[in-house]
Amino acid sequence: MCSYAAEPEVAASTAVAAQPAASSVGDDIASIASFIDWRLAPIRWSGAFGTGLRLSGGTDQARRFQDVETANIQGRSYIWQPWFAQFSAGLGLVTSLDRVSSRAGDANGATAASSRNTSTTHTGNLGLNLLPVSRFPFQFTYDISDSRASGELTGNDFQRRHLGLRQNYRPLTGNTNYVVGYDRNTLNSASFGADTVSALNGGVTHSWNTQNVDVNASRTRNTRSNTGESSLISRLNARHGYRPDGTLSLDTQASYSGSDLHLLSSGLAADIRSRFLQLNSVGTWRPEEDHPLYVVGSARLFQNSFSSGNSNSDSTSLGGNIAANYRWTPQTTIYGTFGLTQAANDIGSTLLTSQATGINYTPDPINFGAYRYSWYAGGNVANQTGGSEGARNNVGGNIGQNLTRGIQLKSSTTLSLSAGQSYSLNRDSVASLAQTLSHTATVALRTSPTLNSNASVSATAADSRTYGVNENTFQIINIQTNGQIQFGRYSYGSASLTLQGTRQYTLASPASDFIFNTSGNLTYSHTRAFDIPLLRYTLIYSGNQNQFQSRLLGDINAPREQISHSLEQRLDYNIGRIELRLSARIAHIDDRDDWLIFFTLNRRIGEY
């Protein structure tokens, strides 16, 4: 009986104990909230007052003089503890007095016209960083800037507004990372209205044992109020890797891209819609490490959908391929491949099969004094069935040679010379005979005069001529410079610049002149210009002639205008908290030449 009487007491005590446990979570949250000191820590203030004079002009543009006055104040602090929440905020004003002068033609000759106006805009920024050193930091930024105060070379004044949100998360195991972000960038101008790019993106990476997964997705939209142009770009990429040991690997990648473009000034149809889906998997295997047999297999799926106006097209391709390479001797490799492809489009579908085998021979290089000579040769036989042409086979071969020499000019400078020649022959049962003769030559200079200097310059010229089927000539000149070099105690330079020229000749298109493109940047700096302490001189050149509408295609930080060339020279001088800058810049923007002379004087205040 005692045992029966004890049961209600135990149940009752358990019920009483469970009651405070149910509210413990809320009590803990309230306890933590009461423990946190929600007031801001002492604020660190900084700011600046400045004046700027801008003189600009260009092709088919009026000469413009601007007197720009700026003022801003910035505060930084934290809530409770620096690791809990960091906070920053700023506010500024930009006032501009514009004088525009131009010349207009009339029946009696040229006359001068001028205008004068003033404008005032505000700038500012706001930033919040929650738990910055935790596994789940959150960032919020909002920034308003003005092109007149930044010294940007642009034909149109604009105000930039940028909103950014970013959340990261990493679990305790540390083998997974999550990130999601949102950005909204708007350019507002009286000349082109509002140009807005909004981007939502996210990603996850995860690794375990011998595998890893990487997935990222983005969706961007660009709208332009003055032209009505718009774009919507969606992208998804996923990758899976599997490597149990050094003899086996499997990599699978899937990607999707969709775009909806509404264009009015590109010369294309007003509305363009495209969808691309691709799945590709590649596996490699060898019986053991350093075994002469090496096998590669792949499978792929490709789908494409495109529509423009009344034109629509769809295509699908599904295929697989397996190839085996066998290192017969250290100099000789034989290989064989087999592939299947099922292709379908609006007209119909077809199954293609391909088989090929070949041999490559590369003997050991031969040294002739300071020269190093090498050569190679190969041959292959291939067959294809299916398609509109039915059975098709070809036989090909190639042979080539290279000669190189290195010259030690100094202990830190090396000059390398190389020249090569190759000849290939291919006889196709459908397209008949084709022969290609190619020549290449390269000169490269590498130098490391000091511990902080490492630079290289190379120039390559190549000529390729094909006779018979698809007769054509292709020539290329490529000059590259990379690295950084210390010229003296106060001067140094850096470069990452490529100049490339191409020329092509075909029977349908006669020979033309070389087409040159420049990309990259070149910088030179002297921290004691004209032997004046604290006077810094900087020269900056940047080039990008491969023009494309990157902002319309979703680049959140891309400029509205396309700058193909820009050369800027700048003098900076600091006296305590006073900063002076004089800069001159010329640039080729949107097929016109612009120039800008900009002088600024800033006085900083507070803790900076």
Side-chain angles (χ1 to χ4, degrees), residues 157-216:
D157 295 337
F158 60 86
Q159 189 181 68
R160 178 186 285 111
R161 296 173 180 263
H162 185 200
L163 168 67
L165 303 171
R166 191 79 67 245
Q167 177 68 64
N168 293 75
Y169 173 70
R170 177 178 55 84
L172 285 172
T173 55
N175 62 339
T176 308
N177 284 286
Y178 302 90
V179 61
V180 62
Y182 174 78
D183 289 276
R184 182 180 177 88
N185 186 295
T186 301
L187 305 181
N188 287 292
S189 174
S191 59
F192 57 75
D195 186 321
T196 302
V197 178
S198 56
L200 178 65
N201 57 80
V204 57
T205 60
H206 178 66
S207 60
W208 72 102
N209 298 330
T210 59
Q211 304 182 62
N212 61 82
V213 174
D214 187 352
V215 181
N216 60 81

Side-chain angles (χ1 to χ4, degrees), residues 26 136 157 170 176 179 182 232 237 282 337-338 371 385 402-403 459 484 491 521 548:
F136 35 87
D157 295 337
R170 177 178 55 84
T176 308
V179 61
Y182 174 78
L232 178 62
N237 292 280
V282 178
T337 66
F338 176 80
Y371 294 90
T385 63
N402 291 281
L403 184 65
Q484 57 184 12
S491 60
N521 57 79
F548 54 90

Side-chain angles (χ1 to χ4, degrees), residues 61-73:
Q61 289 196 51
R63 180 168 297 183
R64 186 179 186 186
F65 176 79
Q66 293 176 291
D67 183 357
V68 182
E69 307 293 333
T70 61
N72 65 79
I73 189 169

Side-chain angles (χ1 to χ4, degrees), residues 475-555:
Q475 297 169 328
I476 184 171
I477 299 173
N478 183 280
I479 301 174
Q480 290 186 344
T481 176
N482 291 280
Q484 57 184 12
I485 188 167
Q486 190 85 24
F487 295 105
R489 181 179 179 183
Y490 302 107
S491 60
Y492 64 92
S494 63
S496 178
L497 192 66
T498 300
L499 173 65
Q500 181 169 289
T502 59
R503 181 170 65 179
Q504 188 170 15
Y505 162 82
T506 64
L507 295 177
S509 177
S512 59
D513 294 333
F514 274 93
I515 300 175
F516 286 93
N517 288 304
T518 305
S519 61
N521 57 79
L522 181 68
T523 302
Y524 172 79
S525 180
H526 198 295
T527 58
R528 192 185 175 100
F530 308 111
D531 203 28
I532 300 176
L534 303 180
L535 180 63
R536 301 186 304 277
Y537 169 78
T538 307
L539 182 145
I540 303 173
Y541 169 80
S542 61
N544 180 19
Q545 289 183 276
N546 299 319
Q547 295 298 308
F548 54 90
Q549 292 285 356
S550 55
R551 186 174 180 85
L552 189 62
L553 297 180
D555 188 348

Side-chain angles (χ1 to χ4, degrees), residues 55-247:
L55 181 63
S56 60
T59 305
D60 300 327
Q61 289 196 51
R63 180 168 297 183
R64 186 179 186 186
F65 176 79
Q66 293 176 291
D67 183 357
V68 182
E69 307 293 333
T70 61
N72 65 79
I73 189 169
Q74 182 79 30
R76 293 179 176 85
S77 185
Y78 60 87
I79 300 174
W80 188 31
Q81 298 291 339
W83 53 263
F84 179 69
Q86 299 176 3
F87 180 83
S88 66
L91 183 64
L93 290 175
V94 178
T95 300
S96 174
L97 172 62
D98 294 7
R99 299 183 182 91
V100 180
S101 61
S102 61
R103 299 185 67 83
D106 55 22
N108 299 322
T111 60
S114 61
S115 62
R116 175 190 175 106
N117 61 80
T118 60
S119 61
T120 300
T121 60
H122 66 277
T123 62
N125 61 80
L126 186 65
L128 178 63
N129 199 344
L130 291 177
L131 304 172
V133 295
S134 69
R135 295 181 291 106
F136 35 87
F138 171 77
Q139 293 178 329
F140 165 85
T141 58
Y142 183 71
D143 183 79
I144 304 175
S145 60
D146 195 295
S147 63
R148 295 171 299 177
S150 64
E152 296 181 58
L153 180 56
T154 174
N156 304 295
D157 295 337
F158 60 86
Q159 189 181 68
R160 178 186 285 111
R161 296 173 180 263
H162 185 200
L163 168 67
L165 303 171
R166 191 79 67 245
Q167 177 68 64
N168 293 75
Y169 173 70
R170 177 178 55 84
L172 285 172
T173 55
N175 62 339
T176 308
N177 284 286
Y178 302 90
V179 61
V180 62
Y182 174 78
D183 289 276
R184 182 180 177 88
N185 186 295
T186 301
L187 305 181
N188 287 292
S189 174
S191 59
F192 57 75
D195 186 321
T196 302
V197 178
S198 56
L200 178 65
N201 57 80
V204 57
T205 60
H206 178 66
S207 60
W208 72 102
N209 298 330
T210 59
Q211 304 182 62
N212 61 82
V213 174
D214 187 352
V215 181
N216 60 81
S218 65
R219 186 176 178 88
T220 61
R221 180 186 293 274
N222 177 235
T223 57
R224 298 181 171 182
S225 62
N226 66 329
T227 63
E229 291 178 295
S230 64
S231 67
L232 178 62
I233 311 292
S234 302
R235 294 186 177 94
L236 173 65
N237 292 280
R239 180 185 174 276
H240 173 262
Y242 174 62
R243 287 176 173 79
D245 52 49
T247 64

